[in-house]
Amino acid sequence: MRYFFEITYDGTKYNGWQNQANALGVQQVVEETLSKLLREKISIVGSGRTDAGVHCVQQFFHADLAREIERQDLLVRLNSFLPKDIAIRAILPVISTAHARYDARERTYEYHITVRKNPLLVGRAFYFFKKCDVALMNEAAALLLGEHDFTSFSKVKTDVNHFRCTVKKALWVKRGDLLIFTVSANRFLRGMVRATVGTLLDVGSQKISLKTFQSIIKSKDRKQAGMNVPADGLYLTSVKYPRSIFLKSKEG
């Protein structure tokens, strides 16, 4: 029986999502906890990878279990055994062919910047002290909308077939001392959001022009783009799937 699990976590202590030989990932912690509770070897597949230090408001993974489960009971037990910085929000039955990664239709990230030094936001937002023109950054962000080759904002060594992504939303909003960038797309490349934010900050601080920003997109050259902003300001906030993969059940 295949299930989707909705998960949220604080990425501070973890070296990203994926299992690694010499570092602790969120995936390893969840697999070990599930295997212990269900007394069988459980492997999980996530909707995507997050880098070290990146936080997650909503992500999904799928797992194949030997038998049908009482979802609410497992949910309570899982959250009792998982560490405080990882929580399961829901367990959802899905069709046998549903895939947490390949069936995802849209993913959304937020990047949080504080323009005022705040000790309470250490590990939660990037402190950027330079004055930024938010309207100008939104003009640049609008250039990202649609389908483009995002090689300029991707890590150079990455195992993908192509670098084209379709961006559906890219918007900066100011809330008090916070600057929040929200971006939604059908897929994201490794390091794409952090490099994009770094380059948009170059626009906002008037280090580069809108014309230069547009030429960076077209250049397909990572060296032309701005810095990779720190991971701890980045949040995966939403992953969307077609309704057709979810099964109805007596638990709702």
Side-chain angles (χ1 to χ4, degrees):
M1 185 76 187
R2 180 162 291 190
Y3 292 90
F4 269 28
F5 293 70
E6 181 183 347
I7 185 171
T8 181
Y9 53 84
D10 178 335
T12 303
K13 297 179 182 178
Y14 301 99
N15 204 49
W17 166 263
Q18 196 172 17
N19 286 338
Q20 296 169 62
N22 301 309
L24 183 64
V26 176
Q27 181 181 355
Q28 178 184 334
V29 176
V30 174
E31 285 182 340
E32 290 176 352
T33 305
L34 267 173
S35 298
K36 181 178 180 180
L37 286 173
L38 297 175
R39 298 181 181 180
E40 60 175 299
K41 176 68 175 176
I42 302 293
S43 297
I44 66 176
V45 177
S47 57
R49 305 172 184 176
T50 52
D51 288 338
V54 175
H55 309 301
C56 176
V57 177
Q58 183 189 65
Q59 183 165 330
F60 290 88
F61 63 85
H62 76 248
D64 292 324
L65 309 185
R67 60 190 180 279
E68 191 172 351
I69 56 165
E70 289 191 14
R71 290 181 285 132
Q72 188 57 37
D73 176 65
L74 180 58
L75 185 67
V76 172
R77 291 165 64 208
L78 258 178
N79 282 321
S80 297
F81 278 83
L82 286 168
K84 293 180 180 179
D85 49 12
I86 300 175
I88 304 298
R89 294 295 186 216
I91 304 174
L92 306 166
V94 293
I95 60 176
S96 61
T97 56
H99 197 286
R101 180 180 176 188
Y102 298 129
D103 282 329
R105 295 291 177 263
E106 182 177 304
R107 298 165 173 86
T108 299
Y109 282 90
E110 286 185 3
Y111 195 85
H112 292 203
I113 292 171
T114 178
V115 297
R116 183 182 185 187
K117 188 176 181 181
N118 187 342
L120 300 179
L121 291 176
V122 172
R124 296 285 181 273
F126 172 42
Y127 172 45
F128 190 74
F129 58 87
K130 294 181 181 178
K131 188 174 181 180
C132 284
D133 185 328
V134 178
L136 195 59
M137 289 195 296
N138 271 327
E139 284 189 59
L143 298 174
L144 300 169
L145 298 174
E147 184 180 344
H148 302 282
D149 186 311
F150 284 93
T151 303
S152 295
F153 304 107
S154 172
K155 289 185 177 179
V156 176
K157 295 181 180 179
T158 182
D159 183 24
V160 294
N161 294 323
H162 65 89
F163 293 85
R164 300 196 71 82
C165 307
T166 302
V167 174
K168 302 175 182 180
K169 180 179 181 179
L171 183 69
W172 287 93
V173 175
K174 193 173 191 305
R175 298 177 189 163
D177 293 329
L178 281 179
L179 278 176
I180 300 173
F181 178 61
T182 303
V183 58
S184 302
N186 65 327
R187 65 193 287 262
F188 287 90
L189 305 168
R190 287 190 65 202
M192 177 175 160
V193 180
R194 291 165 61 193
T196 300
V197 170
T199 313
L200 287 169
L201 288 175
D202 285 345
V203 175
S205 59
Q206 299 187 17
K207 182 178 178 181
I208 63 173
S209 65
L210 282 171
K211 186 176 181 180
T212 300
F213 181 78
Q214 192 164 29
S215 70
I216 289 171
I217 298 173
K218 293 178 180 178
S219 73
K220 302 178 187 179
D221 181 1
R222 177 64 186 92
K223 293 177 182 178
Q224 299 296 318
M227 66 172 172
N228 257 358
V229 289
D232 54 13
L234 184 58
Y235 299 76
L236 174 59
T237 61
S238 174
V239 185
K240 293 183 179 180
Y241 295 91
R243 291 184 181 180
S244 58
I245 68 170
F246 296 100
L247 297 175
K248 293 181 179 180
S249 73
K250 58 185 178 182
E251 289 187 53

